[in-house]
Amino acid sequence: MKKPAILLLACFAILACISLAPAKDNLGDKLDKLFDKAGNKTKKVVDKVEAKVNAKLDEWIGEPTVAIAGEPDGNELTLVDNHQTKAIVICSAPEKSVEKQAADDLVKYIKLMTGVEVARAGTAAEVADALKMDADHPLIVIGSAALKADPDLQRELDKVAKKSPTLRADAIVLKRKGNRVYVAGNHDESHYYAVAELLSRWGCRWYLPSEFGECIPEVSALKVGKLNYAFGSPFEVREFWISWNGESAGQRDFQLRNFMNNQGVSGGHILASYTKDLIPPGKTQWNIPIADAKTAEHVANHPEVQKNFAAGKDFSLGMEDGLYESDSKRDAELQAGLTDKYFISNTLTDNFMELYNQVAQRLLAKYPNSKSHIGFLAYSNITIPPQRQIVAAKPLVASLAPIDIDPNHGMDDARFPSVREYKEMVYRWSEVMQGRVFIYDYDQGMLVWRDLPNPSIGAVKQNMKIYRDAGILGVSTESRLAIATTFLNLYVRGQTMWNPDVDVDALLADFYPKFYGPAAEPMSRYWGRLFKAWDDTIVTEHEFFVIPAIYTPELVEALRKDLTEAEETMKDASRRLNHPPRDWKKYEERMRFTRLSFNLIDQYTEMWHAAATEGDYKKAVAWGDKAVATRMELGTMNNTFTTRVIPTMPAPETKEGGPAWLLGEVEQYRKLAELTDGPKGKLIMKLPVDWSYRRDPHDTGVVSGFAYKPADLSYWKEHGQELVGYARKDYPTTQWEMIRTDLYPQAQGILHPDGQSFTGNHWYKTTLKLDASQAQGKLHVRFPGIFNSSWLYVNGYLVSYRPQLPLWWANDYGFEWDVDVTGKLKAGENTITVRCLNPHHFGGMYRRPFVYREN
């Protein structure tokens, strides 16, 4: 047979991979016929194809028919086989306990896996009788009944549980002895973790809250091999909570099944309720003397504080969410003129630590045996680690919130100093608090307002190990549970908080076939590309302005191709499979979710491009309306998929919320369209997308004439292509360069040479040419997206100044600037120069400016 024929036969066999019915018995017959036609010359080729066919069918059909927990040893304990069982689940827990829920769920999921419901023993008499059963009856003994039946289990738990915990140690043990399988933890909730571990060894997964994210295998036999496992988590705090505009359906079960808890000490904003009598006349709650002894005395003597501490109850003394300033000499002494580099405000760590220590010492003097924990907030900007040598009083527990910290990269990422600075904060706070500090972080990104995927997996899998090594108590995560944004983030958080050494890449490899079935391969590429884009990005921010920097046209098109392939695979499998697996409808539902999620990415990025790059606001509105409709469809499909967008739900998003929200952003473009082709104005000219640009870190541009001298781009023309992306940080600040106005500078690589976010002054310059008719009338230059305080020069002369508050988020989220330049622009060539002052992460322009005539 000639080579082309061999290749043709191989292709035919590969095609069989996507056309065979799930019954593998037919595979050998089909391949035998191929061998008869092809001869032995092609057998090696077809053997390889056959292996691929079998692998593909394994993915399509689902899990293997036998599920074994533990190491197979040839002497496995069979719980269920061929729809038959003699197994008994033994649990003597009270009805409303978590342990009882664990037993109920074990029975539930065994039935889902095998179709068989195992017997239970719950009363004292039933438990006693069950434990007398002969070897033909496999017994799964849960929780307190297991600890009572085998006292050695408690000793094994004690060995692995965290020693001398501040709040609570969590540990589990799974052990098979003959016909008994012991499944237990060191307290009520940990009994559930032990059951979750057993179920996970049989292949059960809970990737997302609600049944949508539940993956339970279908098996004909359920067994336990050699099993002797004990583990204690290094973290005492492993939680997430749903903030005000997110849906919490399925949260509690999801947490338990992924080893999460609700531990932690509240550090919530409450201090003002204890200090309101100390507010100086004409001042506010933020003007109290913080470190004065009288403040500590007042707080310690507050009836509520006394009551809580005497009862051993945990409570918060967390500061209010605002900027504190006082006239106290002691506060000034402790504050020492220190400010955070981004928050541009007094750092008050030493002041608050003195207050909290004094309060704790007064309370301990009165109630020395109290077990209370006093929580407080340690923001990474207002309360950078103490500068003086301070040791926290024993009752104090800090929650460290990484405000203004890059959420996209792990703390050991060599590219970005800000995350390495955060690592130093973590270790320093752990030292000050003697380990009594947990992380209060955010797994939502501000993309949650748009419901585009914002993965944090890359950072989490690195940071959990660092938190463990630093002796941190754990992590409490604020989330919106908007699955279109967070997707697998919370699942990976749960797994890594339980065990920081878990293989996250293996978790992801396990995910795709379980979640997407036959579409696993293209969907692994789809999400793999998306995760990599976030890992590789140079942006260190988390607001929606980063979207075009990460979701580039190239990425969107690659995602489109992967998704299309996945959908075609599903369609072909649907036609070919004679007996689709039980979860087929789930596979289809998950593909629909992914399609809607991609459509939102596609529509949003098209909207952004139309507005920011093309300056076509009618087109942007059209795309925006599609994105809003897609988002509504996602929210209607499942409340957990988006933030609250459905009008009948509490606190739904509305356009009145402003441009910080998607509806408000679309409304912003609608109003801009009125200036370019509507009742309020007529477009005269779109200014260029690309402008000359100059960094001015030493603020020499004003006196050096940057406003009126032409930009010298000779260096850029010779060397500009040598430094792109992250490498652009090394471009000399003494030279002009080119920059886009549809993407903020940081996202284009405008960084300090050490990788820090660029702060300071910077300049934009361009020219425009108007004919006589264009130069007439009431002309305006509109900057539809520009951060920070800005100065506009026309033809070398200052014509307008726009002040902004230093904290960019304290300003209007529209970030527009409209300048009346009537009489300033002339017929012929004009020079436009903009000076910006960027004290924070975001700076410069991010939407293309334009000139319009006012109607």
Side-chain angles (χ1 to χ4, degrees):
M1 185 180 290
K2 295 181 180 179
K3 285 186 179 180
I6 295 174
L7 293 174
L8 182 61
L9 178 60
C11 291
F12 178 78
I14 292 171
L15 184 59
C17 174
I18 59 172
S19 63
L20 287 174
K24 288 189 182 180
D25 292 342
N26 296 329
L27 177 61
D29 293 338
K30 291 188 177 185
L31 291 176
D32 284 344
K33 292 177 181 178
L34 288 175
F35 294 148
D36 290 340
K37 292 181 180 180
N40 292 331
K41 249 183 172 182
T42 64
K43 190 174 187 306
K44 289 185 179 179
V45 175
V46 180
D47 280 346
K48 291 181 181 179
V49 174
E50 180 181 4
K52 291 182 179 180
V53 170
N54 286 331
K56 177 62 71 175
L57 287 175
D58 281 341
E59 290 179 14
W60 283 24
I61 296 170
E63 303 293 328
T65 57
V66 177
I68 303 176
E71 183 182 344
D73 59 358
N75 188 34
E76 294 84 15
L77 176 67
T78 299
L79 304 178
V80 180
D81 190 16
N82 197 26
H83 302 289
Q84 301 294 319
T85 184
K86 292 183 179 180
I88 302 173
V89 170
I90 299 174
C91 177
S92 58
E95 186 61 35
K96 293 186 178 180
S97 65
V98 181
E99 179 183 343
K100 176 62 165 54
Q101 182 186 348
D104 291 345
D105 279 358
L106 179 61
V107 172
K108 168 187 171 181
Y109 287 112
I110 288 176
K111 185 174 182 179
L112 281 174
M113 285 187 282
T114 66
V116 175
E117 184 163 351
V118 298
R120 308 187 197 202
T123 67
E126 289 172 345
V127 170
D129 289 343
L131 290 173
K132 296 175 184 176
M133 291 287 185
D134 58 32
D136 288 341
H137 290 80
L139 306 179
I140 307 177
V141 192
I142 294 176
S144 52
L147 297 177
K148 184 178 179 180
D150 186 351
D152 286 342
L153 298 178
Q154 186 62 58
R155 287 187 282 272
E156 295 192 37
L157 287 168
D158 292 341
K159 287 179 183 178
V160 297
K162 183 179 179 182
K163 304 301 184 287
S164 303
T166 297
L167 303 174
R168 187 185 80 185
D170 295 347
I172 63 172
V173 61
L174 285 76
K175 177 174 283 191
R176 177 196 164 193
K177 285 187 175 181
N179 69 322
R180 297 184 182 186
V181 181
Y182 295 113
V183 185
N186 60 339
H187 54 75
D188 186 36
E189 204 166 71
S190 282
H191 296 323
Y192 196 105
Y193 304 146
V195 168
E197 175 67 27
L198 178 63
L199 288 169
S200 71
R201 287 168 179 255
W202 280 325
C204 297
R205 301 289 184 271
W206 297 273
Y207 293 114
L208 305 168
S210 78
E211 288 188 7
F212 176 81
E214 185 176 88
C215 296
I216 310 301
E218 290 182 273
V219 300
S220 60
L222 203 61
K223 300 183 179 184
V224 177
K226 183 179 179 181
L227 183 60
N228 186 3
Y229 174 78
F231 180 80
S233 177
F235 292 138
E236 301 175 45
V237 180
R238 306 183 308 279
E239 68 170 344
F240 73 90
W241 69 281
I242 306 302
S243 193
W244 56 271
N245 64 338
E247 177 57 46
S248 60
Q251 175 190 0
R252 177 60 174 157
D253 288 341
F254 176 80
Q255 287 177 312
L256 287 171
R257 293 162 187 168
N258 288 289
F259 312 107
M260 289 184 267
N261 60 29
N262 289 317
Q263 291 297 302
V265 179
S266 173
H269 310 297
I270 198 172
L271 185 61
S273 66
Y274 301 132
T275 60
K276 57 186 177 182
D277 295 337
L278 300 178
I279 298 174
K283 300 285 188 172
T284 71
Q285 61 191 11
W286 291 287
N287 303 123
I288 63 164
I290 300 168
D292 283 9
K294 65 179 182 180
T295 303
E297 187 73 23
H298 185 82
V299 172
N301 288 330
H302 192 282
E304 190 70 19
V305 171
Q306 290 271 322
K307 176 183 174 183
N308 288 335
F309 201 80
K313 183 180 178 181
D314 294 352
F315 61 96
S316 172
L317 289 181
M319 68 181 70
E320 300 303 323
D321 197 357
L323 302 180
Y324 281 80
E325 293 182 2
S326 86
D327 296 327
S328 163
K329 291 183 179 179
R330 181 58 176 162
D331 278 343
E333 178 185 354
L334 290 173
Q335 195 277 316
L338 295 170
T339 59
D340 174 71
K341 67 177 182 179
Y342 288 139
F343 206 61
I344 318 162
S345 170
N346 294 339
T347 59
L348 300 167
T349 311
D350 290 17
N351 305 62
F352 276 103
M353 288 304 300
E354 185 156 313
L355 168 64
Y356 294 141
N357 269 349
Q358 287 189 43
V359 170
Q361 288 159 6
R362 283 168 168 78
L363 291 170
L364 282 172
K366 191 171 183 180
Y367 308 104
N369 297 318
S370 173
K371 301 299 183 183
S372 282
H373 298 108
I374 303 173
F376 68 93
L377 286 165
Y379 288 118
S380 61
N381 49 18
I382 302 176
T383 50
I384 59 178
Q387 300 303 293
R388 292 168 176 79
Q389 187 171 3
I390 297 174
V391 177
K394 188 175 181 180
L396 298 177
V397 176
S399 53
L400 175 59
I403 304 291
D404 288 340
I405 299 298
D406 170 9
N408 304 325
H409 306 101
M411 283 184 268
D412 281 336
D413 194 316
R415 295 173 296 171
F416 304 109
S418 64
V419 289
R420 300 197 301 278
E421 291 167 3
Y422 174 54
K423 181 177 178 180
E424 293 298 323
M425 291 184 195
V426 168
Y427 272 89
R428 185 66 181 270
W429 269 114
S430 183
E431 177 187 347
V432 169
M433 300 301 302
Q434 298 174 300
R436 299 187 309 277
V437 56
F438 61 91
I439 307 302
Y440 180 99
D441 70 351
Y442 311 87
D443 190 45
Q444 58 205 31
M446 294 306 174
L447 302 198
V448 76
W449 315 128
R450 304 300 187 268
D451 290 306
L452 272 66
N454 188 178
S456 60
I457 293 171
V460 164
K461 71 178 182 180
Q462 184 179 115
N463 289 349
M464 289 301 174
K465 295 178 181 179
I466 294 171
Y467 292 146
R468 185 263 317 277
D469 295 345
I472 296 296
L473 287 178
V475 180
S476 175
T477 297
E478 178 183 332
S479 181
R480 295 296 195 274
L481 198 60
I483 296 305
T485 297
T486 59
F487 197 48
L488 289 178
N489 291 0
L490 294 172
Y491 168 72
V492 172
R493 279 176 179 268
Q495 297 294 320
T496 54
M497 285 191 291
W498 177 248
N499 179 6
D501 292 321
V502 69
D503 187 337
V504 173
D505 293 335
L507 293 180
L508 294 177
D510 178 67
F511 162 75
Y512 297 110
K514 283 182 168 61
F515 194 80
Y516 284 112
E521 186 177 337
M523 291 317 302
S524 69
R525 292 199 304 272
Y526 178 95
W527 288 106
R529 291 184 205 277
L530 202 152
F531 295 158
K532 188 175 187 300
W534 280 91
D535 288 342
D536 292 348
T537 184
I538 65 171
V539 303
T540 58
E541 295 77 31
H542 56 93
E543 292 280 345
F544 65 89
F545 315 112
V546 310
I547 292 174
I550 297 172
Y551 288 98
T552 62
E554 295 77 15
L555 176 60
V556 173
E557 287 310 306
L559 295 177
R560 190 193 314 278
K561 181 179 178 182
D562 293 333
L563 180 58
T564 300
E565 181 182 337
E567 290 171 331
E568 290 301 317
T569 300
M570 287 291 293
K571 288 178 184 177
D572 190 75
S574 181
R575 290 192 298 267
R576 305 292 183 179
L577 288 171
N578 294 329
H579 302 289
R582 178 195 62 198
D583 286 343
W584 188 257
K585 291 295 183 184
K586 277 191 176 181
Y587 295 152
E588 293 180 327
E589 186 182 23
R590 291 162 184 163
M591 286 304 305
R592 182 179 171 226
F593 159 78
T594 311
R595 165 51 69 181
L596 290 174
S597 174
F598 171 77
N599 287 350
L600 187 54
I601 295 171
D602 191 25
Q603 291 156 0
Y604 186 87
T605 53
E606 287 284 2
M607 177 190 72
W608 186 281
H609 182 78
T613 306
E614 298 178 4
D616 187 337
Y617 293 103
K618 284 191 173 181
K619 183 178 178 182
V621 169
W623 279 111
D625 287 341
K626 290 180 181 179
V628 168
T630 296
R631 196 156 161 257
M632 183 65 71
E633 192 174 352
L634 268 169
T636 303
M637 184 179 175
N638 189 314
N639 290 339
T640 67
F641 288 172
T642 67
T643 43
R644 288 182 174 166
V645 297
I646 301 173
T648 56
M649 294 185 69
E653 178 185 330
T654 66
K655 66 181 181 181
E656 284 72 25
W661 307 84
L662 177 58
L663 287 174
E665 184 181 356
V666 177
E667 188 66 16
Q668 180 182 13
Y669 297 149
R670 209 179 306 274
K671 291 178 179 178
L672 285 167
E674 294 178 353
L675 297 178
T676 56
D677 187 18
K680 295 184 178 180
K682 177 181 175 62
L683 179 68
I684 298 301
M685 180 177 293
K686 299 174 187 178
L687 295 181
V689 173
D690 296 296
W691 290 40
S692 302
Y693 179 80
R694 179 76 178 264
R695 310 174 211 195
D696 187 14
H698 304 298
D699 193 17
T700 60
V702 173
V703 295
S704 297
F706 287 2
Y708 53 84
K709 291 181 179 179
D712 180 0
L713 289 168
S714 56
Y715 188 91
W716 170 259
K717 291 175 181 177
E718 186 174 353
H719 300 286
Q721 297 306 309
E722 298 171 8
L723 299 171
V724 296
Y726 181 75
R728 193 167 178 175
K729 67 183 179 60
D730 297 323
Y731 192 86
T733 61
T734 56
Q735 299 294 332
W736 285 86
E737 53 195 303
M738 294 296 292
I739 198 169
R740 299 179 65 86
T741 57
D742 58 353
L743 187 64
Y744 67 99
Q746 310 279 62
Q748 299 182 62
I750 305 300
L751 305 168
H752 286 298
D754 63 353
Q756 293 277 10
S757 297
F758 180 82
T759 55
N761 297 284
H762 51 139
W763 296 74
Y764 289 82
K765 184 182 287 288
T766 193
T767 59
L768 70 155
K769 191 173 184 179
L770 300 175
D771 60 31
S773 62
Q774 290 174 318
Q776 295 177 358
K778 296 181 178 180
L779 299 184
H780 293 249
V781 175
R782 187 75 161 206
F783 297 90
I786 183 170
F787 294 113
N788 315 133
S789 297
S790 302
W791 295 256
L792 175 65
Y793 293 81
V794 176
N795 295 322
Y797 296 98
L798 181 66
V799 299
S800 187
Y801 164 60
R802 191 277 299 267
Q804 290 276 274
L805 296 171
L807 301 179
W808 62 267
W809 66 79
N811 299 283
D812 172 18
Y813 256 67
F815 296 104
E816 294 187 40
W817 186 24
D818 190 277
V819 184
D820 186 341
V821 290
T822 304
K824 307 296 183 183
L825 291 176
K826 64 182 189 297
E829 188 169 279
N830 296 268
T831 301
I832 302 291
T833 308
V834 179
R835 176 180 181 255
C836 297
L837 173 59
N838 174 31
H840 207 272
H841 295 291
F842 287 115
M845 300 186 207
Y846 63 94
R847 293 190 187 108
R848 179 183 185 179
F850 60 89
V851 179
Y852 73 96
R853 180 182 293 120
E854 179 184 343
N855 287 345

